[in-house]
Amino acid sequence: MIYVKGVNQDQKWDEINVGGNITEGGTALDVNTGDWRIMIPRFHEDKCKQCMLCFPVCPDSAIPVQNEKRLDFNFKHCKGCGVCFKVCPFEGAITWEKEDK
Amino acid sequence: MGIRRLLSGNEATATAMKQINPDVVAAYPITPSTEVVHYFSQYVADGEVDTEFVAVESEHSAMSACIGASAAGGRTATVTSACGLALMWELLYVASGQRLPMTLAVINRALSGPININNDHSDSMGARDSGWIQLYSENNQEAYDNYVMSWRISEHKDVLLPVMVCQDGFITSHAVENIELIEDEKVKEFVGEFKPERHLIDGGPLSVGPYDTPHFYFEHQYQRAQAMKRAKQVILDVSKEFAAMTGRGYGLFEEYKMADAERVIVVLNSSAGTAKVAADQLRAKGEKVGVLKLRVFRPFPHAEVAKALSNAKAVAVMDKCDSFNGMGGPVFVDVRTACYDLATRPQIVNYIYGLGGRDVTVDNFLYVYEKLTEIINSGTNTDDIYRHVGVRGVN
């Protein structure tokens, strides 16, 4: 029986945890789920008033906040749900468009 | 020296549970396994065990609670029969797939319908491919011994699979027999402490049962398949250690008068005793007959069974469970497949017997041995391998 930290698709059957157990916390951070999007929000800093309505409604962790300011989107976990765009009261601070892939 | 006691198979199982003193027992009563839960909950009420007894509302919940308890690092047990086992079905696969050790005493009973509460093996045989180890017991002593051994097998680091310890409902579960118990201290020492490498309350982060994507699921199933293969050696090792303690030796199966046997009956659970009586009667007349009694059905000891049957001329595989597949019962299909690689194969037929508590007599086995003689003399054909014994109008 083995317990390893982290999994990747190169590991062989005897190099991964039995039963699929995950033996560390916060592992979802390492997984790119940002490739599910069809629509994408865009951040325009010049139009943003830093009202902070958007980041608490983000269902994932796509809106980083530092020193009381929201920064540009972190798209690694953004599913393109559009909740931030919907809640933003300021014209053009968050725009909503089809993502080109 | 052991302790001589008169116990039913159910009380013997409950007594073994008491001696092992599991951390958690979650169970729901169903005939004919109810007594085990009844006895054990009395031990809990009387403070004879430290077990957390969870009185659940169904067998689905019982197995769910056991999965949670085992994942949390607890030594865990449950008991059931028939429809109770069927209601656990979904979770049986989860328990073995999550590689959670536990023991389930199956007091074998027919799966309806029409409704029937008596013995056959359709419950545990249905669960034969759920990733659980299955041990079968001829009598009360074997039910007790297999139960004590099951923990060491289930919790072994090379295995980590749950175990079903099966015995025949009413026939052994309710019949009182003289058996030899092992002293409490010796059982405790033999079973030891359950120390899983990781569990949910050990302090470190652990997620049990996360979604397994197509990138990993197949590898986890391969792990489970390998564990089942490794279980064979662990069962043999544990049985050897058990024999050193008790003087009672167990293998993957028992070979009864097999040395020069030309006609062999393969059977498991209580009817093996009846088959042995039939074999004794024919041996007394100089006939070369034997019995192969399977103890371990999962993992299926295919190479060993094939070797044991390699010198036989004709074999009848007894199934107390019909697969309704137009071909034959589960034990038959596996035994016959196992023999395919033999250079010279015996002729092998199936007899479905004893369904729903139909009495199984010595005469039934004498009849089967007689049919094996006919097969040796005249051969058989593949249209005539799937047979029944004891059905009115058939024989």
Side-chain angles (χ1 to χ4, degrees):
Chain A
M1 178 152 183
I2 51 154
Y3 275 112
V4 293
K5 287 202 160 192
V7 288
N8 64 68
Q9 292 174 35
D10 296 325
Q11 286 166 314
K12 297 183 177 66
W13 70 273
D14 56 351
E15 295 169 348
I16 57 175
N17 291 342
V18 292
N21 285 353
I22 299 171
T23 48
E24 57 191 313
T27 51
L29 273 176
D30 301 331
V31 184
N32 177 21
T33 52
D35 55 359
W36 304 358
R37 275 189 311 273
I38 294 171
M39 300 297 287
I40 187 166
R42 297 288 185 195
F43 178 53
H44 306 279
E45 200 179 352
D46 54 324
K47 305 266 177 63
C48 175
K49 305 287 187 287
Q50 296 294 344
C51 71
M52 292 296 165
L53 285 177
C54 58
F55 97 90
V57 299
C58 173
D60 214 303
S61 51
I63 303 176
V65 175
Q66 240 173 38
N67 302 324
E68 301 182 4
K69 289 184 91 171
R70 73 147 286 177
L71 310 178
D72 198 357
F73 288 104
N74 175 351
F75 288 114
K76 190 175 181 184
H77 299 115
C78 173
K79 315 291 187 298
C81 70
V83 175
C84 55
F85 165 71
K86 185 86 180 170
V87 81
C88 179
F90 300 104
E91 184 75 27
I94 298 175
T95 54
W96 183 237
E97 59 195 60
K98 191 153 197 293
E99 185 176 18
D100 285 328
K101 288 194 184 177
Chain B
M1 203 38 215
I3 308 150
R4 302 289 291 180
R5 286 282 301 278
L6 263 172
L7 292 178
S8 70
N10 276 345
E11 194 171 4
T13 301
T15 303
M17 283 171 83
K18 179 171 73 174
Q19 292 180 308
I20 288 152
N21 195 7
D23 295 306
V24 176
V25 170
Y28 189 83
I30 181 168
T31 301
S33 68
T34 303
E35 268 190 338
V36 184
V37 187
H38 178 181
Y39 283 120
F40 192 77
S41 52
Q42 189 70 53
Y43 302 145
V44 174
D46 292 348
E48 291 190 66
V49 289
D50 311 310
T51 307
E52 173 91 24
F53 182 82
V54 191
V56 286
E57 75 276 28
S58 78
E59 288 84 356
H60 190 280
S61 307
M63 186 46 63
S64 301
C66 288
I67 287 168
S70 184
R75 186 172 263 161
T76 306
T78 186
V79 188
T80 197
S81 297
C83 322
L85 186 62
L87 192 50
M88 288 182 179
W89 224 264
E90 174 191 2
L91 289 316
L92 293 178
Y93 287 77
V94 176
S96 66
Q98 297 294 150
R99 309 291 300 283
L100 296 170
M102 68 181 73
T103 291
L104 164 55
V106 179
I107 314 301
N108 285 114
R109 164 185 148 180
L111 269 178
S112 304
I115 183 86
N116 177 281
I117 61 161
N118 298 90
N119 169 247
D120 70 33
H121 304 152
S122 48
D123 49 4
S124 61
M125 281 299 163
R128 68 191 180 278
D129 294 337
S130 60
W132 285 61
I133 290 165
Q134 290 193 336
L135 307 177
Y136 286 84
S137 320
E138 179 185 333
N139 50 42
N140 301 6
Q141 184 74 61
E142 290 189 12
Y144 173 82
D145 291 349
N146 279 336
Y147 196 85
V148 171
M149 280 182 267
S150 67
W151 300 87
R152 290 284 303 280
I153 300 162
S154 183
E155 294 166 5
H156 194 285
K157 64 175 174 47
D158 291 344
V159 179
L160 298 174
L161 289 171
V163 179
M164 289 183 199
V165 178
C166 307
Q167 63 169 305
D168 280 339
F170 296 113
I171 299 169
T172 60
S173 73
H174 285 61
V176 173
E177 286 186 330
N178 229 333
I179 72 168
E180 190 176 299
L181 299 177
I182 309 158
E183 291 86 345
D184 290 356
E185 322 79 67
K186 281 190 181 174
V187 173
K188 278 190 171 44
E189 197 190 322
F190 180 80
V191 174
E193 267 185 65
F194 177 41
K195 289 178 183 162
E197 208 172 313
R198 293 294 299 269
H199 56 80
L200 286 172
I201 53 177
D202 74 351
L206 179 68
S207 296
V208 175
Y211 178 67
D212 211 9
T213 65
H215 298 307
F216 297 102
Y217 185 81
F218 201 176
E219 279 69 25
H220 289 132
Q221 303 318 305
Y222 188 74
Q223 288 179 340
R224 175 157 54 160
Q226 294 305 304
M228 185 58 89
K229 284 176 78 173
R230 289 194 297 263
K232 189 166 72 177
Q233 189 55 47
V234 173
I235 292 168
L236 289 171
D237 293 344
V238 170
S239 303
K240 200 172 166 188
E241 219 180 294
F242 186 86
M245 172 173 70
T246 61
R248 295 190 291 278
Y250 294 95
L252 301 167
F253 47 81
E254 179 189 340
E255 295 181 78
Y256 188 76
K257 306 199 171 177
M258 286 285 288
D260 61 344
E262 293 174 350
R263 286 175 286 154
V264 176
I265 284 177
V266 178
V267 63
L268 46 73
N269 264 13
S270 69
S271 304
T274 316
K276 287 174 186 172
V277 174
D280 286 345
Q281 289 181 8
L282 296 178
R283 279 278 172 184
K285 295 184 200 166
E287 298 186 29
K288 292 179 177 174
V289 295
V291 176
L292 189 151
K293 180 187 81 184
L294 281 169
R295 171 185 177 229
V296 181
F297 186 60
R298 287 292 180 268
F300 188 70
H302 62 97
E304 293 82 354
V305 166
K307 186 165 180 285
L309 296 175
S310 59
N311 294 320
K313 288 183 177 169
V315 175
V317 184
M318 310 299 295
D319 268 295
K320 220 174 195 177
C321 167
D322 203 327
S323 283
F324 308 111
N325 57 4
M327 178 188 168
V331 184
F332 168 68
V333 169
D334 284 2
V335 169
R336 196 170 151 98
T337 302
C339 291
Y340 184 80
D341 290 322
L342 289 173
T344 51
R345 292 189 287 269
Q347 298 192 77
I348 308 176
V349 295
N350 185 208
Y351 277 97
I352 309 290
Y353 74 106
L355 298 189
R358 172 61 47 87
D359 198 18
V360 179
T361 64
V362 174
D363 280 345
N364 288 155
F365 287 103
L366 292 174
Y367 167 87
V368 171
Y369 277 126
E370 193 184 312
K371 289 292 169 187
L372 289 180
T373 301
E374 285 178 19
I375 288 170
I376 291 170
N377 291 337
S378 59
T380 184
N381 62 66
T382 49
D383 291 335
D384 191 27
I385 52 171
Y386 174 34
R387 305 172 175 196
H388 294 69
V389 60
V391 181
R392 284 188 302 280
V394 173
N395 47 44

